[in-house]
């Protein structure tokens, strides 16, 4: 693909990002990470207090991207087959009765798994195969999911009653865990002035499925150099050696970092992946993959703290020139 | 300071930057490693030296120390150079570092890993890494200072060390004795005596190292004195030869017999030294045969007889004088060149003074000593400097011939009724003072000349050298003619 075509695709993606910024006010970094996750074909877990716009952001992206989307409201009584779909007995005239597979809401390009931690682990596990292999198996029959397939899940971190923490196996399948933070006062003021009842502004698709797939292909084709890959690897390896960590990030984490770094480089109008890209995506890619030990959790240390320490402590280069011989920049 | 403007360099510029940076990194590492090794080695050498100096133990370690320091130092430098030469940073390493520092977003890395065109946006292009030699130098300051301080520290002469060093010192002195013997500076008998004394000192050292050391020091000084004595004699012989040559220019002059006699005395000494005396011995033998003086016991007798019989002409005297000068100059030259012949600084300085005078004398005449650069070997080569001069040519200027009127010992008539005062120099002899004349001659005459008391007592009989006698004779002759 020529540079002009690449530029065109990038431009369309950036338009979507800009439009998202008009919907979710005051969260450019969150939106950049969200778009990065999308371009990396990753699933995204959005965590934040109620009312911060998690669901709104996914809905807005759905509206802007032109993808087929489904929404699954996770409730305690939601069943496995409610997600994947199941065989139902259908009677047809002249043909008798037969079992036909009725697709569940998982069959869509963009799945909004709202309040994902309110369903039981048995139900949540319905997503495991879908998220990793992009297909579902029901009664020994495997059904492919449409491309692209992305799960955008939201969860509330403070309510414990009636919720089930996501199992590590499922958390690991999310490319990013994005934390939706507080909204500053000026943004709140702007909300009051512009949004009235809080309805989603009218959005029309700025993107189609093919363009998005093309962008994803470009991202996949971006080269990542050995020193940058080595940096990502050292970061992931560092999660295993950091104090207070019971289980470090899996190899899936380093692949996630690499893919996300490519996507970020693409969004930053670069053809190559740099160390800064890795640093930018390391936190959302690693924070949900680290399991802290009990003592550390009691001390109030969060996985974010561990990752930030790693980013400060791990050298980007595995072979630094001697700083006391080579001077700083002139 | 840094100009942080961002420019868009060409691919070639960026690649060149990576290449230069890689070279810099590898050089920097080499320099750093070398300084590290040197610092460690300096600490180690200083530590070992410190232990040896403070404790006074180590036996022969003191003697071996320069060898050990030299060998290990050379080893350290060579090893670190070999180790440091290894290239540690590849182009990719350098590119990654530059990319990180310029926030290049992988562009510079891509430059060195791909052949095709790469976009180079937003590079901070003013990057100029440089070697900080000051850091390396600071790293070496402390070990160098420590090593210097330890080197300046005095040795503690532990009993063991002193005893161990006695042998070494005795061997050194023995070598010097042997050297002096070979040069002919000390006679065979003297050399044997020195060696015998050294053996005794060694034996004494086994019982009391301090006593042994003192004995060896004494022998050392005696050897210096013997060498200097010989150098002084050689110098005097040179002077005598010079004088004889000067007097021989005027055979009828009164100083010739005296100068010849002086040379005779000097020649006596040469008989003892075969190496330097061959030419003179040959000449004297010839003279003795010619004069029928085969039985003459000494060279002085031969010369004295030769001059008194006037059987030697000025040319022959010159020949002898030149041979003498050549021999003595050669000896002085060898003494000056012989390293370690003397131990004391003062003795060396004294020898240098004597040799410098000899060199001057040799250069003036250009008589040729066969010593290459020493002494102006011949007329053509005159001006090449004496033995005390450094290498290279040093022009000497020669003026007119010496004015005869400025000959050192010029005949001068005494005042009437007087004579040379006691202590006055006549020729090279000092008139013995305090010889009291008989009471009847207690007159204003304070010449110190002893008269025989005969009538008219114009005939003097003083204990004077030939030259002095001549002066006295002339004085009285002239005084008589005046009357």
């Amino acid at each position: 693909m020529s540079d002009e075509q690449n530029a065109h695709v990038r431009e369309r993606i950036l338009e979507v990002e800009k439009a998202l910024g008009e919907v979710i006010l005051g969260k450019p970094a969150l939106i950049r990470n969200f778009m990065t996750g999308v371009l990396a074909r990753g699933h995204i877990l959005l965590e934040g207090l109620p009312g911060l716009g998690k669901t709104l952001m996914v809905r807005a992206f759905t509206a802007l991207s032109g993808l087929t989307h489904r929404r699954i409201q996770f409730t305690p009584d939601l069943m496995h087959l409610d997600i994947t779909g199941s065989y139902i007995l259908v009677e047809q005239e002249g043909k008798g009765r037969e079992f036909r597979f009725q697709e569940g809401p998982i069959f869509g390009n963009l799945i909004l798994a709202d309040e994902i931690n309110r369903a039981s682990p048995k139900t949540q596990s319905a997503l495991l195969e879908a998220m990793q292999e992009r297909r579902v198996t029901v009664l020994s029959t495997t059904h492919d999911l449409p491309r692209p397939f992305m799960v955008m899940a939201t969860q509330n971190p403070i309510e414990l009653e009636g919720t089930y923490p996501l199992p590590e196996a499922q958390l690991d399948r999310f490319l990013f865990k994005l934390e939706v933070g507080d909204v500053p006062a000026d943004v709140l003021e702007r909300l009051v002035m512009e949004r009235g009842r809080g309805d989603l502004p009218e959005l029309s698709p700025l993107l189609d499925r093919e363009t998005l797939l093309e962008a994803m292909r470009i991202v996949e084709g971006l080269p990542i150099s050995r020193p940058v890959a080595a940096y990502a690897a050292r970061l992931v390896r560092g999660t295993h050696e950091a104090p207070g960590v019971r289980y470090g990030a899996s190899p899936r984490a380093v692949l996630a970092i690499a893919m996300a770094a490519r996507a970020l480089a693409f969004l930053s109008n670069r053809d190559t992946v740099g160390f800064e890209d890795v640093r930018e995506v390391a936190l959302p890619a690693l924070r949900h993959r680290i399991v802290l030990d009990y003592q550390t959790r009691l001390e109030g240390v969060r996985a974010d703290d561990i990752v930030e320490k790693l980013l400060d402590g791990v050298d980007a280069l595995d072979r630094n020139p001697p700083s006391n011989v080579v001077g700083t920049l002139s | 300071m840094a100009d942080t403007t961002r420019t868009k360099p060409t691919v070639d510029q960026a690649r060149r930057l990576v290449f230069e940076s890689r070279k810099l990194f590898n050089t920097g590492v080499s320099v750093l490693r070398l300084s590290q090794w040197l610092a460690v080695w300096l600490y180690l050498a200083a530590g070992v030296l410190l232990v040896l100096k403070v404790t006074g133990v180590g036996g022969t370690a003191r003697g071996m120390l320069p060898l050990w320091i030299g060998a290990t130092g050379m080893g350290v430098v060579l090893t670190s150079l070999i180790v440091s030469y290894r290239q540690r940073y590849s182009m990719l390493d350098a590119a990654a570092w530059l990319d990180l520092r310029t926030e290049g977003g992988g562009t510079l890395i891509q430059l060195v890993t791909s052949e095709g065109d790469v976009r180079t946006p937003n590079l901070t292009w003013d990057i100029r890494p440089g070697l900080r030699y000051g850091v390396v130098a600071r790293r070496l300051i402390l070990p160098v200072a420590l090593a210097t301080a330890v080197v300046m520290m005095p040795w503690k002469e532990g009993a063991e060390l002193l005893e161990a060093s006695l042998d070494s010192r005795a061997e050194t002195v023995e070598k010097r004795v042997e050297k002096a013997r070979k040069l002919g500076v000390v006679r065979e008998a003297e050399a044997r005596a020195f060696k015998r004394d050294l053996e005794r000192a060694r034996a004494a050292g086994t019982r009391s190292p301090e006593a042994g050391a003192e004995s060896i020091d004494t022998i050392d000084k005696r050897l210096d004195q013997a060498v200097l004595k010989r150098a002084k004699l050689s110098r005097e012989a040179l002077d005598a030869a010079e004088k004889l040559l000067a007097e021989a220019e005027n055979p009828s002059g009164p100083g010739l017999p005296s100068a010849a006699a002086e040379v005779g005395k000097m020649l006596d000494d040469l008989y003892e030294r075969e190496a330097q005396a061959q030419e003179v011995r040959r000449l004297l033998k010839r003279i003795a045969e010619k004069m029928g003086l085969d039985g003459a016991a000494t060279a002085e007798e031969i010369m004295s007889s030769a001059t008194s019989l006037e059987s030697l002409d000025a040319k022959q005297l010159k020949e002898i004088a030149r041979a003498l000068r050549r021999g003595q100059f050669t000896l002085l030259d060898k003494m000056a060149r012989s390293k370690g012949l003397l131990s004391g600084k003062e003795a060396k300085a004294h020898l240098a003074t004597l040799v410098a005078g000899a060199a001057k004398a040799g250069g003036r005449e250009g008589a040729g000593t066969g010593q290459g650069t020493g002494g102006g070997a011949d007329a053509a080569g005159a001006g090449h400097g004496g033995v005390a001069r450094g290498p290279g040519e040093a022009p000497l200027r020669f003026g007119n011939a010496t004015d005869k009127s400025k000959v050192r010992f010029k005949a001068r008539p005494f005042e009437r009724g007087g004579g040379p005062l006691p202590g006055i120099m006549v020729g090279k002899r000092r008139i013995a003072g305090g010889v009291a004349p008989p009471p009847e001659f207690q007159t204003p005459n304070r010449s110190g000349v002893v008269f025989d008391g005969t009538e008219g007592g114009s005939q003097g009989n003083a204990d004077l050298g030939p030259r002095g006698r001549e002066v006295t004779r002339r004085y009285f002759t002239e005084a008589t003619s005046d009357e």
Side-chain angles (χ1 to χ4, degrees), chain B residues 331-349:
Chain B
L331 177 63
L332 281 174
D333 190 26
K334 283 182 178 174
M335 287 168 78
R337 286 167 183 270
S338 178
K339 287 181 182 172
L341 184 63
L342 290 165
S343 66
K345 281 185 184 175
E346 288 179 9
K348 284 176 186 169

Side-chain angles (χ1 to χ4, degrees), chain A residues 71-104:
Chain A
R71 173 174 180 146
I72 306 170
Q73 189 67 40
F74 278 65
T75 57
D77 59 349
L78 188 70
M79 299 301 290
H80 177 271
L81 295 179
D82 295 339
I83 296 172
T84 59
S86 63
Y87 285 90
I88 57 172
L89 192 61
V90 178
E91 185 170 359
Q92 291 182 328
E93 288 182 12
K95 292 184 180 176
R97 287 181 287 185
E98 61 174 1
F99 280 103
R100 185 191 297 169
F101 183 70
Q102 178 62 46
E103 293 178 347

Side-chain angles (χ1 to χ4, degrees), chain B residues 157 162 165-166 168-174 176 194 197-198 200-202 209-225 343-344:
Chain B
E157 296 285 358
L162 185 59
S165 68
L166 278 182
S168 166
R169 291 163 69 181
E171 281 173 16
T172 307
V173 177
E174 194 168 348
R176 288 177 43 231
F194 274 124
D197 290 347
L198 279 171
R200 284 178 187 154
R202 275 178 169 167
E210 287 79 9
E214 198 176 332
S215 301
I216 291 175
D217 283 346
T218 306
I219 296 166
D220 202 25
K221 283 176 189 167
R222 274 173 46 212
L223 181 61
D224 275 3
Q225 285 168 359
S343 66

